[in-house]
Amino acid sequence: MLAWVALLVAIVVSFRPAVPVIWGDTPSFVESALRTLEAGRPTVAGGRDPGYPAFLAVTFAFGGDLGTVVRLQQAAWAVLMLALAATAQAATRNAGGLVPIILVATYPGLLLFRNVLTAELLFAVFLNLALAGLLVATCVGKTAQCCAVAASVLCAALAACFRSQGVLVPIAAVLLGAHLARPYTSARLAVMAVSVAAALALLAAGSRFGASYSDQASAVFVPKTLFCNHLNIVLASDAARHEIVSAAGNRADATMARLAADFAAEPGRWPVLGFFGDACLFDTALDRDIADDTGNAVGAAAAYRRIFLAAVRDRPLDYAGKFVRQMAYGASVAWPAYGLEPAITVSTDDVPHVADIMTRHGRAVQPIDLQGEPVRIGLLSDLPGISAYLYRALSIAFVIAVIFWTVTAVRRRRPAFVARAGIVLVMWTASIATAAGAHTLDVWRYLITEVPMVGLMLSLFAVELITRPPLRRSDARCLPAPEAAHRYRSDPLPSMSKLGSFATG
């Protein structure tokens, strides 16, 4: 009860005024939302994913404004915190399991995104609700279990609509859910089939696969991201360089010089990747050099994709090494020391840009309406030194928990913990693997949304260390029958004589 009270207090005191905060991605999201509203279908600009613009468009259609968006994000965050706490309670049956969730509720990295007009907060909500559904499925009966799995699959599909980083999450949710739903019956198979069909429909209509591109940046965004964030492999590959020369034609020398300059820009900014990939990504002149004779975005996108694939085929070990390095780095900073400023910084340069976009689409707003007082983040952001050490320690604890899980799984012990922690690790890996393989985890923002998963992993790990409860019926459902029977035999009930002596004593 005290742990729940502490969590509720943390939720209540963390609420802030519904001041919309404009960041660098906000103009593209607002432009995409207004074009979506006008076109009646997901339409994106600036390379954004369509889920968040669709959310903004629906809010605008019902008469809401940017302040309404912030209030909805704050409500979604509160729902997520309560769902995480309920999941930790169901999976651990111990008050100690709520302590990491309380830390998640006070984490500045998530708190600040409630006010920022970007997709991170809602992506985090659906991503972690998908995980929560799978964990709940390990603790309930078969009927409720199938419903929890179906809800998890749908949440995973929604997460992929908000960010392409989550594209592997629905696949992981379906595979894990299919394993949890065994033994199969016609009813369970029907529920799973309906949930998968609904998830596919969501992905087809509301993800990047079904979005209409309204500008060149969106058309080239994905292949150019792959090209630019593997520029070291591209420049080291003879096959890729040949493709560049072939695509650029008589502009080949200038193109190679531009790529070399982009590669050398701002050295040290992304140390794990080894170079600053965004210098290439935002080099719009490069699109004209790489495009075919038509000079359009489709030709540039095809050229970027072709060059990237040639580089990976030519130097697969370099690509694999980059991926492994990024994943290891992601685990080492799984709880980033992010948002440790007293207040949320506002991109003042983008405020008039957003005002111009809304005015151009018939929604009058003045720049002054978007420039409220700085929004204080939370208590831990006021203690940056202490908080940095705290989050470093939590990241180390996560790595230790992964090692502990690996050893336990290899030794085939503690099957309930292995099953539940394994679900967390699979979903965590699926959610960061796309960023590790296509971009870089030097951008800590790509790890913020996974912090609630880290909190759940630490909840399972902490409770497993401090107590070893007897096997419950819910645990027995996670085990094969022989193992469950063995666990019951190895921890027999006390004999009646012992109970009698205890009572008389």
Side-chain angles (χ1 to χ4, degrees), residues 73 86 120 167 200 206 227 234 252 273 283 328 372 432 461 483 489:
Q73 291 183 169
E120 268 73 15
V167 69
L200 289 174
F227 172 87
V234 168
L273 183 63
D283 186 350
I432 73 166
F461 176 55
E483 293 185 34
R489 287 196 299 270

Side-chain angles (χ1 to χ4, degrees), residues 14-52:
S14 68
F15 273 97
R16 296 291 178 263
V19 177
V21 175
I22 309 300
W23 273 12
D25 292 343
T26 305
S28 296
F29 280 123
V30 173
E31 178 75 33
S32 300
L34 295 174
R35 293 190 182 187
T36 295
L37 193 59
E38 293 166 356
R41 56 168 298 183
T43 305
V44 296
R48 302 304 99 193
D49 291 294
Y52 192 69

Side-chain angles (χ1 to χ4, degrees), residues 83-94 131-149 180-181 415-417 419-421 423-424 456 460 472-479:
L84 291 174
T87 302
Q89 179 77 25
T92 64
R93 304 298 176 92
N94 190 293
L131 170 63
L134 292 175
L135 288 178
V136 168
T138 67
C139 309
V140 295
K142 285 297 181 183
T143 301
Q145 185 180 69
C146 212
C147 295
V149 168
L180 290 172
F417 166 75
R420 289 168 181 157
I423 290 172
V424 177
L456 284 171
L460 296 170
R472 301 185 296 268
R473 290 186 182 274
S474 58
D475 292 338
R477 282 193 292 269
C478 297
L479 310 178

Side-chain angles (χ1 to χ4, degrees), residues 219-220 223-224 296-306:
V220 304
K224 191 175 183 182
N296 59 23
V298 175
Y304 285 130
R305 188 180 300 108
R306 187 170 60 251

Side-chain angles (χ1 to χ4, degrees), residues 137-480:
T138 67
C139 309
V140 295
K142 285 297 181 183
T143 301
Q145 185 180 69
C146 212
C147 295
V149 168
S152 172
V153 171
L154 292 176
C155 286
L158 285 170
C161 293
F162 277 86
R163 281 193 69 99
S164 295
Q165 179 181 336
V167 69
L168 297 178
V169 175
I171 298 173
V174 169
L175 295 177
L176 290 170
H179 177 74
L180 290 172
R182 295 184 306 173
Y184 302 125
T185 64
S186 57
R188 291 174 196 159
L189 287 174
V191 172
M192 287 294 297
V194 169
S195 65
V196 171
L200 289 174
L202 278 172
L203 292 173
S207 72
R208 183 176 291 275
F209 301 109
S212 171
Y213 299 140
S214 59
D215 64 350
Q216 178 169 326
S218 297
V220 304
F221 185 77
V222 172
K224 191 175 183 182
T225 297
L226 293 169
F227 172 87
C228 289
N229 286 284
H230 299 88
L231 193 54
N232 58 332
I233 302 176
V234 168
L235 295 178
S237 167
D238 292 336
R241 292 169 72 93
H242 176 75
E243 290 287 348
I244 293 173
V245 171
S246 176
N250 57 9
R251 302 180 298 273
D253 291 339
T255 302
M256 296 302 298
R258 178 173 281 110
L259 289 174
D262 290 340
F263 183 75
E266 299 188 58
R269 182 163 177 177
W270 289 352
V272 180
L273 183 63
F275 59 96
F276 182 51
D278 277 0
C280 166
L281 184 63
F282 294 110
D283 186 350
T284 55
L286 190 62
D287 298 346
R288 295 191 297 269
D289 291 345
I290 292 293
D292 56 14
D293 294 335
T294 60
N296 59 23
V298 175
Y304 285 130
R305 188 180 300 108
R306 187 170 60 251
I307 295 166
F308 165 72
L309 293 176
V312 171
R313 286 194 298 266
D314 189 36
R315 307 182 74 88
L317 294 181
D318 289 347
Y319 178 75
K322 181 257 184 185
F323 177 78
V324 170
R325 186 168 62 251
Q326 293 288 337
M327 293 295 292
Y329 177 73
S332 67
V333 289
W335 202 312
Y338 189 86
L340 302 185
E341 299 87 17
I344 305 175
T345 57
V346 180
S347 175
T348 55
D349 293 340
D350 290 314
V351 169
H353 190 189
V354 172
D356 291 342
I357 290 171
M358 298 193 73
T359 302
R360 182 165 19 97
H361 288 272
R363 294 181 173 268
V365 62
Q366 299 298 322
I368 192 65
D369 297 332
L370 303 174
Q371 292 175 318
E373 293 295 324
V375 181
R376 183 171 171 268
I377 299 176
L379 175 63
L380 292 179
S381 64
D382 295 331
L383 305 169
I386 296 174
S387 297
Y389 284 112
L390 170 64
Y391 300 135
R392 187 177 303 170
L394 291 171
S395 296
I396 294 172
F398 177 73
V399 174
I400 294 173
V402 173
I403 296 172
F404 177 81
W405 174 84
T406 304
V407 173
T408 305
V410 169
R411 297 178 65 185
R412 303 192 178 203
R413 301 182 61 186
R414 312 184 186 202
F417 166 75
V418 169
R420 289 168 181 157
I423 290 172
V424 177
L425 290 179
V426 169
M427 294 292 281
W428 179 84
T429 301
S431 63
I432 73 166
T434 306
H439 204 270
T440 176
L441 296 177
D442 282 305
V443 183
W444 281 0
R445 191 157 55 101
Y446 298 153
L447 291 168
I448 301 302
T449 51
E450 283 75 20
V451 166
M453 294 185 177
V454 178
L456 284 171
M457 182 67 182
L458 295 181
S459 294
L460 296 170
F461 176 55
V463 171
E464 193 66 23
L465 288 183
I466 63 178
T467 181
R468 180 76 185 280
L471 185 69
R472 301 185 296 268
R473 290 186 182 274
S474 58
D475 292 338
R477 282 193 292 269
C478 297
L479 310 178

